[in-house]
mmCIF file of all heavy atoms in Angstrom:
data_model
loop_
_atom_site.group_PDB
_atom_site.id
_atom_site.type_symbol
_atom_site.label_atom_id
_atom_site.label_comp_id
_atom_site.label_asym_id
_atom_site.label_seq_id
_atom_site.Cartn_x
_atom_site.Cartn_y
_atom_site.Cartn_z
ATOM 1 N N ALA A 76 25.458 73.703 34.404
ATOM 2 C CA ALA A 76 25.793 73.645 35.796
ATOM 3 C C ALA A 76 26.823 72.588 36.132
ATOM 4 O O ALA A 76 27.774 72.836 36.861
ATOM 5 C CB ALA A 76 24.552 73.501 36.700
ATOM 6 N N GLU A 77 26.662 71.424 35.521
ATOM 7 C CA GLU A 77 27.643 70.373 35.668
ATOM 8 C C GLU A 77 28.959 70.773 35.139
ATOM 9 O O GLU A 77 30.045 70.481 35.768
ATOM 10 C CB GLU A 77 27.155 69.075 34.999
ATOM 11 C CG GLU A 77 25.960 68.452 35.698
ATOM 12 C CD GLU A 77 25.334 67.318 34.881
ATOM 13 O OE1 GLU A 77 25.419 67.353 33.659
ATOM 14 O OE2 GLU A 77 24.751 66.479 35.548
ATOM 15 N N LEU A 78 29.026 71.467 33.993
ATOM 16 C CA LEU A 78 30.290 71.941 33.437
ATOM 17 C C LEU A 78 30.953 72.955 34.342
ATOM 18 O O LEU A 78 32.181 72.939 34.541
ATOM 19 C CB LEU A 78 30.048 72.575 32.061
ATOM 20 C CG LEU A 78 29.696 71.600 30.933
ATOM 21 C CD1 LEU A 78 29.304 72.363 29.704
ATOM 22 C CD2 LEU A 78 30.898 70.685 30.625
ATOM 23 N N LYS A 79 30.149 73.826 34.963
ATOM 24 C CA LYS A 79 30.737 74.843 35.856
ATOM 25 C C LYS A 79 31.370 74.172 37.094
ATOM 26 O O LYS A 79 32.405 74.595 37.546
ATOM 27 C CB LYS A 79 29.613 75.832 36.225
ATOM 28 C CG LYS A 79 30.090 76.868 37.253
ATOM 29 C CD LYS A 79 31.159 77.760 36.633
ATOM 30 C CE LYS A 79 31.653 78.817 37.637
ATOM 31 N NZ LYS A 79 32.741 79.632 37.067
ATOM 32 N N ARG A 80 30.713 73.117 37.599
ATOM 33 C CA ARG A 80 31.211 72.453 38.833
ATOM 34 C C ARG A 80 32.330 71.445 38.526
ATOM 35 O O ARG A 80 33.046 71.056 39.486
ATOM 36 C CB ARG A 80 30.090 71.727 39.510
ATOM 37 C CG ARG A 80 28.997 72.545 40.113
ATOM 38 C CD ARG A 80 28.075 71.705 40.985
ATOM 39 N NE ARG A 80 27.462 70.599 40.212
ATOM 40 C CZ ARG A 80 26.265 70.653 39.622
ATOM 41 N NH1 ARG A 80 25.515 71.720 39.695
ATOM 42 N NH2 ARG A 80 25.853 69.598 38.988
ATOM 43 N N ASP A 81 32.539 71.091 37.318
ATOM 44 C CA ASP A 81 33.500 70.014 37.026
ATOM 45 C C ASP A 81 34.923 70.491 37.177
ATOM 46 O O ASP A 81 35.342 71.455 36.519
ATOM 47 C CB ASP A 81 33.299 69.488 35.586
ATOM 48 C CG ASP A 81 34.039 68.222 35.357
ATOM 49 O OD1 ASP A 81 35.211 68.343 34.928
ATOM 50 O OD2 ASP A 81 33.483 67.146 35.589
ATOM 51 N N ASP A 82 35.720 69.827 38.023
ATOM 52 C CA ASP A 82 37.159 70.187 38.222
ATOM 53 C C ASP A 82 37.982 70.133 36.991
ATOM 54 O O ASP A 82 38.829 70.959 36.757
ATOM 55 C CB ASP A 82 37.755 69.309 39.327
ATOM 56 C CG ASP A 82 37.135 69.528 40.724
ATOM 57 O OD1 ASP A 82 36.633 70.654 40.945
ATOM 58 O OD2 ASP A 82 37.220 68.665 41.541
ATOM 59 N N LEU A 83 37.768 69.088 36.148
ATOM 60 C CA LEU A 83 38.501 68.947 34.926
ATOM 61 C C LEU A 83 38.279 70.120 33.987
ATOM 62 O O LEU A 83 39.185 70.640 33.363
ATOM 63 C CB LEU A 83 38.165 67.631 34.239
ATOM 64 C CG LEU A 83 38.989 67.220 33.042
ATOM 65 C CD1 LEU A 83 40.476 67.177 33.330
ATOM 66 C CD2 LEU A 83 38.453 65.913 32.515
ATOM 67 N N VAL A 84 36.992 70.502 33.865
ATOM 68 C CA VAL A 84 36.700 71.631 33.018
ATOM 69 C C VAL A 84 37.383 72.970 33.573
ATOM 70 O O VAL A 84 37.975 73.679 32.819
ATOM 71 C CB VAL A 84 35.173 71.899 32.848
ATOM 72 C CG1 VAL A 84 34.855 73.178 32.191
ATOM 73 C CG2 VAL A 84 34.521 70.682 32.138
ATOM 74 N N GLY A 85 37.254 73.095 34.899
ATOM 75 C CA GLY A 85 37.906 74.287 35.526
ATOM 76 C C GLY A 85 39.398 74.297 35.301
ATOM 77 O O GLY A 85 39.966 75.409 34.998
ATOM 78 N N GLU A 86 40.063 73.178 35.327
ATOM 79 C CA GLU A 86 41.532 73.134 35.183
ATOM 80 C C GLU A 86 41.936 73.197 33.740
ATOM 81 O O GLU A 86 42.891 73.891 33.368
ATOM 82 C CB GLU A 86 42.098 71.803 35.782
ATOM 83 C CG GLU A 86 41.897 71.778 37.319
ATOM 84 C CD GLU A 86 42.163 70.380 37.883
ATOM 85 O OE1 GLU A 86 42.821 69.500 37.137
ATOM 86 O OE2 GLU A 86 41.807 70.085 38.986
ATOM 87 N N GLU A 87 41.300 72.467 32.837
ATOM 88 C CA GLU A 87 41.742 72.337 31.467
ATOM 89 C C GLU A 87 41.057 73.222 30.466
ATOM 90 O O GLU A 87 41.600 73.545 29.430
ATOM 91 C CB GLU A 87 41.527 70.851 31.017
ATOM 92 C CG GLU A 87 42.298 69.875 31.771
ATOM 93 C CD GLU A 87 43.833 70.005 31.588
ATOM 94 O OE1 GLU A 87 44.247 70.382 30.545
ATOM 95 O OE2 GLU A 87 44.566 69.712 32.518
ATOM 96 N N LEU A 88 39.850 73.698 30.795
ATOM 97 C CA LEU A 88 39.041 74.545 29.922
ATOM 98 C C LEU A 88 38.460 75.718 30.681
ATOM 99 O O LEU A 88 37.263 75.932 30.760
ATOM 100 C CB LEU A 88 37.903 73.729 29.241
ATOM 101 C CG LEU A 88 38.291 72.460 28.546
ATOM 102 C CD1 LEU A 88 37.103 71.648 28.216
ATOM 103 C CD2 LEU A 88 39.115 72.743 27.352
ATOM 104 N N PRO A 89 39.331 76.576 31.368
ATOM 105 C CA PRO A 89 38.815 77.618 32.262
ATOM 106 C C PRO A 89 37.941 78.650 31.537
ATOM 107 O O PRO A 89 36.959 79.120 32.220
ATOM 108 C CB PRO A 89 40.144 78.233 32.754
ATOM 109 C CG PRO A 89 41.180 77.918 31.790
ATOM 110 C CD PRO A 89 40.773 76.555 31.244
ATOM 111 N N LEU A 90 38.143 78.904 30.272
ATOM 112 C CA LEU A 90 37.251 79.867 29.553
ATOM 113 C C LEU A 90 35.830 79.294 29.476
ATOM 114 O O LEU A 90 34.835 80.023 29.616
ATOM 115 C CB LEU A 90 37.780 80.167 28.161
ATOM 116 C CG LEU A 90 39.054 80.960 28.064
ATOM 117 C CD1 LEU A 90 39.457 81.054 26.571
ATOM 118 C CD2 LEU A 90 38.862 82.303 28.608
#
Side-chain angles (χ1 to χ4, degrees):
E77 290 168 333
L78 289 171
K79 178 63 180 177
R80 290 189 306 263
D81 190 273
D82 291 337
L83 185 59
V84 172
E86 292 168 17
E87 299 293 328
L88 307 169
L90 292 174

